[in-house]
Amino acid sequence: RGGGGGMEGLIPLVNRLQDAFAALGQNCLLDLPQIAVVGGQSAGKSSVLENCVSRDFLPRGSGIVTRRPLVLQLITAKTEYAEFLHCKGKKFTDFDEVRQEIEVETDRVTGMNKGISSVPINLRVYSPHVLSLTLIDLPGITKVPVGDQPPDIEQQIRDMIMQFISRENCLILAVTPANTDLANSDALKLAKEVDPQGLRTIGVITKLDLMDEGTDAREVLENKLLPLRRGYIGVVNRSQKDIDGKKDIKAALLAERKFFLSHPSYRHMADRMGTPYLQKVLNQVKPEVFVVKGSFIMIRQLQKLY
């Protein structure tokens, strides 16, 4: 689609191609436009994704919770419901059931031993509260096997992540908590390996509200410490206490906005921080960012076939 408009013209086609491969039980290995979410186990990836949907729908717990790639297709619509590719025709309106289905479908392929699989789960969420985006949630980077996990689980996860982010058409959302040393960020280290110039990496800094008193992440968010071409966006997610207490995501987004507007280190850039701004940036990424030689030709050929 010509004339701007960001990813919206490509999103429906990419979604159909992702679905076609998933229906065959395969990961889509074509160089299609996609946004991969990468981060350590406690980086706050789940909260970032849930805030984008304005719903609690992802499994939570200790250890590796995301054990298969989740292709999350967000589609702006008047009514709110979810569909899984593997549950043809079934509409989920209860997002607790969405979480349960992700857990069941994960175990069906990976078994109960906390192993991982590169076969994706495809989930579409239709909602008036979302901007049209396709995000891929990947397993959290881990260091130590737990329970019955294979001893090389760290390498397996790394290989899976690299399979996605090494593609030139993949925008990398590198999620890092503010209360850790940015120089040791696993997400940024992996992103730098495949994108040394930072041309297709967006840094997402979480847990800004948990930093030690007297410290801040201003230099990071101003893109001065470890610069990325696309810079960094700060977000404030709900705490575990908020989640356990069923704090509404809409209330959390209001609290996030208030945090940035009132914080002396961040208020001068409050309009470039927060989950709604992150959604807007991702929604408006231009297709040219992803185009490599032959990609559109390949997509058009496949469109004729599909």
Side-chain angles (χ1 to χ4, degrees):
R1 164 178 151 179
M7 287 283 289
E8 297 211 32
L10 281 177
I11 285 169
L13 175 57
V14 172
N15 287 349
R16 288 165 64 198
L17 289 167
Q18 296 277 16
D19 287 355
F21 278 85
L24 297 172
Q26 296 179 16
N27 182 14
C28 181
L29 295 176
L30 294 176
D31 239 0
L32 299 176
Q34 48 192 216
I35 302 168
V37 186
V38 180
Q41 280 185 20
S42 57
K45 283 191 309 110
S46 294
S47 292
V48 169
L49 288 164
E50 288 183 331
N51 286 355
C52 286
V53 179
S54 292
R55 285 285 184 179
D56 293 302
F57 70 98
L58 291 171
R60 290 180 181 272
S62 58
I64 302 172
V65 178
T66 303
R67 293 185 286 124
R68 292 173 60 183
L70 177 70
V71 179
L72 177 62
Q73 301 167 0
L74 306 181
I75 300 165
T76 308
K78 290 181 179 178
T79 56
E80 184 181 54
Y81 63 94
E83 292 179 335
F84 287 95
L85 186 66
H86 65 270
C87 297
K88 284 272 187 184
K90 182 175 180 181
K91 290 185 178 180
F92 292 76
T93 54
D94 182 339
F95 281 77
D96 283 335
E97 288 185 17
V98 171
R99 178 189 294 109
Q100 291 163 15
E101 186 59 39
I102 291 172
E103 291 172 345
V104 168
E105 178 61 13
T106 295
D107 288 343
R108 185 182 68 79
V109 171
T110 63
M112 306 293 285
N113 71 338
K114 301 291 184 184
I116 64 169
S117 167
S118 61
V119 177
I121 297 173
N122 284 54
L123 171 64
R124 282 185 183 170
V125 175
Y126 297 82
S127 170
H129 309 301
V130 304
L131 293 178
S132 292
L133 288 173
T134 297
L135 300 163
I136 301 176
D137 185 24
L138 295 167
I141 302 159
T142 185
K143 300 290 183 190
V144 182
V146 297
D148 296 329
Q149 286 174 350
D152 65 339
I153 189 72
E154 179 185 356
Q155 189 62 45
Q156 285 188 31
I157 291 173
R158 179 189 164 88
D159 290 347
M160 185 193 296
I161 292 171
M162 295 297 273
Q163 180 182 325
F164 284 88
I165 68 173
S166 59
R167 302 175 200 167
E168 290 296 321
N169 280 359
C170 181
L171 188 74
I172 305 164
L173 216 58
V175 181
T176 303
N179 56 356
T180 60
D181 182 1
L182 196 70
N184 292 323
S185 163
D186 290 316
L188 287 172
K189 281 180 182 176
L190 287 180
K192 196 166 183 63
E193 283 187 37
V194 296
D195 180 32
Q197 302 302 314
L199 300 178
R200 53 188 180 88
T201 301
I202 294 178
V204 177
I205 305 299
T206 61
K207 304 190 180 183
L208 290 161
D209 53 326
L210 300 182
M211 296 189 75
D212 291 339
E213 193 172 343
T215 64
D216 62 50
R218 179 170 174 164
E219 281 200 325
V220 174
L221 295 174
E222 288 179 342
N223 207 22
K224 292 176 180 175
L225 193 61
L226 288 173
L228 293 172
R229 184 76 164 269
R230 297 178 172 274
Y232 295 83
I233 297 172
V235 298
V236 175
N237 298 324
R238 293 170 301 164
S239 66
Q240 190 59 50
K241 184 180 177 182
D242 291 335
I243 294 165
D244 294 341
K246 304 290 185 185
K247 182 174 181 178
D248 182 63
I249 288 181
K250 289 175 186 174
L253 291 175
L254 286 173
E256 177 188 58
R257 179 74 176 149
K258 183 179 177 182
F259 173 85
F260 285 113
L261 285 171
S262 61
H263 198 291
S265 296
Y266 309 133
R267 58 190 175 205
H268 68 291
M269 50 181 159
D271 288 342
R272 290 176 283 113
M273 296 291 123
T275 304
Y277 180 74
L278 174 62
Q279 285 181 278
K280 185 179 175 183
V281 166
L282 297 178
N283 178 256
Q284 292 180 347
V285 171
K286 299 295 181 188
E288 301 89 82
V289 170
F290 298 97
V291 177
V292 292
K293 188 176 179 181
S295 285
F296 273 125
I297 296 170
M298 185 186 294
I299 290 173
R300 285 180 184 135
Q301 288 172 339
L302 285 162
Q303 190 178 23
K304 289 175 184 175
L305 292 171
Y306 184 46

